[in-house]
Amino acid sequence: MKKKMCVALSFCLALSLAVTALGKTKEQIKSEQAQSQKNLQDAEGKVDAIAEEKQDAEVSMNASREELARVLANVNIIEDEIEDKTAEIEEAEAKYNEAAEKEEKQYDAIKKRIRYMYENGGVDSSYIEIFLQAGNIIDLLNKASYAEQLYAYDRELLEKYRLTKEETKASEEKLKAELDEMSEIKETYQEESTQLEKTIEEQKAKVDDFDSLLSDAKADANKYRQEIQTQNAEIRAIVAAEKAEA
């Protein structure tokens, strides 16, 4: 009795699937299945192609991110160098101003000494006073030597301050030229980083597009797999129905 019921149920199931085939023959379903298999193959190929393109896009995006990190690191480095260079320029300017001030004071002191000598006919520590106070030839020579040393000292100081001014000015100009060059390099890095950020945004959007395309392609592949499974079931149902009728 149970055996007969099982046979009856199997027959009913086969008949149901056979009816679902809407009167199609086994050959028609196999033909449709062949097309479904081709569609599945194409869909799976599309999935693989999109996945590969997505991977390439992610590799490019990661490379751009690494490049951006390098550029931003260079920006930080050049900013530190600019800060140091600016401090050097300020130091050079301070040295120049100090030398210029000392030169001016020394020059004013010499002018005042000469003017005083001229107006008063000589006083202590003046060149003329030195000669007038000489008691003998040896004293005169000694005082003349002292006067010459004093004059040489004045000239030496002035020359020293002048050279210091020239050197610090040259150093300042060199430092400013280097600072300008650094600023240009920083600007180049900033432009590069801006372009890289834009590129990364575009690459990320491309990767997101691939995610959407990949999802659609996988959905198509699953649809064709389900079609093939249904077609296999329909074919089995038709074969079962044919055997039952026989």
Side-chain angles (χ1 to χ4, degrees):
M1 181 70 176
K2 288 183 179 180
K3 185 175 180 181
K4 289 182 178 179
M5 284 185 68
C6 288
V7 171
L9 287 172
S10 297
F11 178 76
C12 290
L13 178 61
L15 182 62
S16 175
L17 288 171
V19 171
T20 304
L22 299 176
K24 295 178 183 178
T25 65
K26 184 166 57 177
E27 286 70 23
Q28 288 175 324
I29 296 174
K30 284 185 177 182
S31 176
E32 291 177 355
Q33 188 179 56
Q35 183 60 48
S36 296
Q37 288 172 338
K38 182 180 182 305
N39 291 340
L40 174 61
Q41 185 178 2
D42 292 342
E44 288 176 338
K46 188 175 181 181
V47 168
D48 292 339
I50 293 173
E52 186 175 352
E53 288 185 71
K54 178 189 174 185
Q55 184 178 11
D56 291 342
E58 288 175 335
V59 168
S60 297
M61 182 176 66
N62 290 334
S64 296
R65 284 175 172 168
E66 290 177 2
E67 180 65 12
L68 177 60
R70 183 190 67 80
V71 170
L72 292 177
N74 285 334
V75 169
N76 291 334
I77 291 171
I78 201 69
E79 284 178 341
D80 291 341
E81 291 178 352
I82 287 174
E83 185 177 348
D84 293 340
K85 193 66 64 177
T86 301
E88 289 181 34
I89 291 173
E90 292 174 353
E91 183 179 354
E93 288 176 345
K95 287 182 178 179
Y96 175 84
N97 292 333
E98 182 182 0
E101 184 179 354
K102 286 182 177 179
E103 181 189 38
E104 185 176 357
K105 287 181 178 179
Q106 183 66 20
Y107 183 64
D108 288 342
I110 293 172
K111 286 195 300 181
K112 288 178 181 179
R113 184 186 302 143
I114 294 173
R115 185 183 301 115
Y116 199 86
M117 288 164 52
Y118 178 78
E119 292 175 351
N120 296 278
V123 292
D124 290 341
S125 300
S126 69
Y127 300 122
I128 297 176
E129 183 69 16
I130 290 170
F131 291 105
L132 292 177
Q133 290 181 354
N136 52 52
I137 186 65
I138 295 176
D139 191 26
L140 177 62
L141 290 175
N142 289 336
K143 291 183 180 297
S145 176
Y146 176 73
E148 184 179 349
Q149 290 176 6
L150 182 59
Y151 175 70
Y153 176 73
D154 286 336
R155 286 182 57 84
E156 183 181 347
L157 280 180
L158 285 174
E159 183 67 11
K160 176 184 176 182
Y161 297 144
R162 184 186 67 80
L163 288 176
T164 301
K165 278 177 56 182
E166 290 180 356
E167 289 172 359
T168 53
K169 190 66 176 176
S171 175
E172 181 183 347
E173 290 175 355
K174 180 175 179 292
L175 290 171
K176 285 183 177 179
E178 292 173 353
L179 180 62
D180 290 340
E181 184 178 350
M182 288 179 179
S183 297
E184 290 177 3
I185 293 173
K186 178 185 175 181
E187 185 177 348
T188 300
Y189 281 143
Q190 287 176 328
E191 290 174 355
E192 189 176 352
S193 66
T194 299
Q195 182 58 46
L196 280 169
E197 287 172 352
K198 181 180 178 183
T199 299
I200 290 170
E201 287 180 4
E202 292 172 352
Q203 290 171 329
K204 186 178 183 304
K206 192 174 181 180
V207 169
D208 291 341
D209 288 341
F210 281 130
D211 283 336
S212 177
L213 291 172
L214 189 59
S215 177
D216 292 342
K218 286 180 177 179
D220 288 341
N222 287 332
K223 181 185 71 173
Y224 295 131
R225 288 191 189 95
Q226 290 173 359
E227 283 183 3
I228 292 170
Q229 289 174 357
T230 300
Q231 290 159 348
N232 284 334
E234 289 174 349
I235 291 172
R236 286 195 299 271
I238 291 174
V239 171
E242 289 175 349
K243 285 182 179 181
E245 291 177 357

